Amino acid sequence: MDTLLHPSTSSMAKRPCPSSAENPMLPSSFSQMDNLLLSFLSLSDSSPPVSLDLSFDRLLESAPSDADQSLLIDRAHNLGSLLLRAANRSARKRASLHNSIAWALPPDLTIKVFSMLDSQSLCYAAATCSMFNKCAMDPLCYANIDLTTVVPKVNNAVVSTMIQRAGKSFRSLKLGIVPGPTSSPGSCQPLVYSIRNSVDVSSFSWNDKKTRQGKESSILTRSCLYPLSGDNGAAGTLLRRLHLYNIERMDNASFCVALAACPSLLDLEIVGLHVELRQTLISVSSNCHLIERLFFESSKTGRDDSLKSPTCVDLVNNCPNISSLSLRGFKLQDYKVRILVKVLGRVGLHKYLDFWSSGCCMPGRVGFRKLKYADFSTSYLISGTFLRNLGSGFGGNLLEVLILRDCMHLKEVEVARFLTAVLAGDFKFLRYLDISNREGLASEGDWYQRSYNSSIIPLKQVLEVRPNICLLAEFPSEGCYIDIDHMFDSDVNSEISLPSQLSSHTSDGSLLMSSSESSYNSDQGSGNEEYQVSGFVIYEESSDEVDFLVV
Amino acid sequence: MLLSKNSALESKDNEIFEVEESIAIQSELIKTMTTMVNSKAYVNERNQMVPEARCRKQANYHVEQNNKIVDEELSDWESKFFEVDMDDLHELFMAANYLEIESLLNGVTKRVGDFIKACKNVEVIRQTFGINNDFAAQQEEEIRKLNSWNHI
């Protein structure tokens, strides 16, 4: 009976009660009820709580039969719950009223505010009060859905709900697991993330989640993108941007189905998905003709060599708007990359022959005409020959950004050739170039021979002639960081002190410099006119002596 | 049509502001009114709804905005401009909405959004904005289920 006098506690479960109109205990006339209720409610002020208890007990005792007692108790229950519900309802109404005064913005402005929130904050806001909840359901708030998390938390149902709420405002979807900011910085730091590596996994049982099905699961499965195809692809048609990270369960078939539903896609970013490059690109070129940005990072660096020339040709022909292309961690041959990058000019035959001579046998228009941003970091097999004659004469190459970081087989001679072309005036629009490599560049001949020396690469000259280019050419330098000026000034004596440090690393013939000592500073925004060059030693695998070249 | 450099805007408190025409026109409302009325100084009496403080803020906002051409400076200044308490923000909001000044509206919207983003969970949002929980138990349960991924 305590709950009657403490209506604010919701500890009492709500029971379904019969309609009060049929209850014989309550009078039918309205004002009688009012008076009765009033006098009853004033009880809590006047008498101590315990008297109600005693009163009820006396009533029960005076009841003629057992059945009458049950009836009394039932009625007490019913009335009690009715009163409790009424009080709760009124309390909520008052709270709502208070809220609408405290938060003085009208719904349309509130919705505007909410549309600026990220998905997580939006959900918090929606759980705050009923007014917020209503505003947070507006489709405008779901135009950009960002469900990326640091550990797996989101499941298919959440994705589906959000897409549904977005309705016609649906524009962008980001999904998956992105390593948190605690991971070591580096522009080439792969975003690929394996749950097995996670340090946050301690509270998260992988097996536990795997076995559970349906809504309880915290895992995105391969069907997480089905809402895009649903309802005749209504949602997919609206989608402009799709970013997917490390969705372990995603496979080729499901992903291609999803892409097939997104003809308006402009920006596609996939990192760490177990999908084949070739199949994905085929799907893109079949379905996403408007695409402008393609960022694809392999889940297994250096293992996917599925890309074929016809795929490149199809991609170039069917997706002419691509201005930004990133293919990281794949096995790419030079001639295939060339198809993607080289622009066939208006000038006719001799350029066509040049194209043939570069080893490719594919006729037809090649090269993205609008390509400005190209990133082939951590690619295998490309040696740089695709860069030859790329920006020459005809039309000029529009390339503004070229990133070839940590390409194991990238040859220094090709880089030198490329930079010479830049010096000669090609690549007029180039403003950012990154040829850094944790393990140096490959020497001519055997790629095991690494070069950390920029003697043939005209770095300094490039920076003089084209000062607006941001040039990153970081190679391991044993932890010490000597810039190019110092290198010029220093004499041989000061450099002799280095072999003692180097030999300890090179005695086993391994080409891997310990990466912790490499000056792996990869701040892309480091300024337009700065450059960092480190490393000035040519390492000969067979010899203990180390040659030094002063540039 | 004779266009003078300055428009005179009369606020609710009967104060008259001299504002450069180009700035005044940033407000969609004033723009339509002046075009319709075809006069420079006689802006519709509806404008009297806007209390003085707001008008002044608008004028300031636009003058400064026009002066700051560099993006960095502008964003710095903007963040300072919006670093006011909720009441002032609310006033700015209402004014921007009424006068239909898009840039100001976007700025205030973003600022309030940042306030909400800074709250790490539901309780903090409630405390920050003085909002009470008016959900029925059943509703709350539903919401909690839907948001289990968010750990609400």
Side-chain angles (χ1 to χ4, degrees), chain B:
Chain B
M1 180 163 65
L2 191 71
L3 286 173
S4 97
K5 274 289 177 189
N6 291 339
S7 299
L9 305 174
E10 188 171 342
S11 81
K12 184 178 185 181
D13 325 26
N14 293 329
E15 230 187 85
I16 300 196
F17 294 90
E18 286 265 330
V19 182
E20 236 185 71
E21 179 103 18
S22 56
I23 294 176
I25 280 185
Q26 297 235 8
S27 157
E28 288 293 321
L29 190 72
I30 293 179
K31 192 169 165 191
T32 25
M33 281 181 182
T34 48
T35 328
M36 276 160 44
V37 175
N38 197 23
S39 147
K40 51 168 165 77
Y42 190 75
V43 183
N44 204 305
E45 69 270 8
R46 275 187 69 188
N47 213 36
Q48 291 192 352
M49 299 270 287
V50 183
E52 170 212 337
R54 290 179 188 172
C55 258
R56 181 161 292 149
K57 280 227 171 80
Q58 309 325 306
N60 277 344
Y61 181 74
H62 285 298
V63 168
E64 297 301 322
Q65 209 184 27
N66 289 335
N67 289 341
K68 301 272 186 293
I69 310 159
V70 183
D71 277 330
E72 230 175 69
E73 259 187 66
L74 184 60
S75 57
D76 275 344
W77 177 84
E78 273 194 354
S79 43
K80 286 204 199 79
F81 182 82
F82 290 120
E83 240 165 61
V84 292
D85 62 11
M86 282 303 295
D87 288 329
D88 289 338
L89 268 184
H90 177 242
E91 288 232 340
L92 272 177
F93 223 137
M94 292 294 126
N97 191 34
Y98 178 73
L99 291 171
E100 292 169 45
I101 305 169
E102 186 156 337
S103 51
L104 185 60
L105 197 59
N106 286 339
V108 186
T109 311
K110 189 166 176 303
R111 179 87 183 109
V112 179
D114 289 343
F115 262 125
I116 298 180
K117 272 193 217 177
C119 300
K120 290 303 167 196
N121 61 38
V122 181
E123 264 315 307
V124 181
I125 298 181
R126 286 189 184 137
Q127 281 166 21
T128 311
F129 298 101
I131 293 175
N132 297 338
N133 179 2
D134 63 349
F135 285 126
Q138 196 190 11
Q139 267 180 304
E140 262 203 288
E141 184 59 33
E142 272 173 29
I143 289 171
R144 206 188 53 77
K145 266 200 202 151
L146 274 174
N147 285 308
S148 57
W149 66 278
N150 225 0
H151 299 309
I152 290 186

Side-chain angles (χ1 to χ4, degrees), chain A residues 183-205:
Chain A
S183 53
S184 56
S187 68
C188 202
Q189 174 71 22
L191 293 172
V192 177
Y193 164 101
S194 167
I195 187 95
R196 290 165 267 279
N197 299 337
S198 166
V199 293
D200 295 325
V201 156
S202 51
S203 59
F204 172 81
S205 165

Side-chain angles (χ1 to χ4, degrees), chain A residues 117-125 146-147 149 153 162, chain B residues 149-152:
Chain A
L117 295 177
D118 56 294
S119 304
Q120 192 172 48
S121 302
L122 183 66
C123 288
Y124 287 148
D146 184 351
L147 290 169
T149 54
K153 280 200 277 179
M162 294 242 171
Chain B
W149 66 278
N150 225 0
H151 299 309
I152 290 186

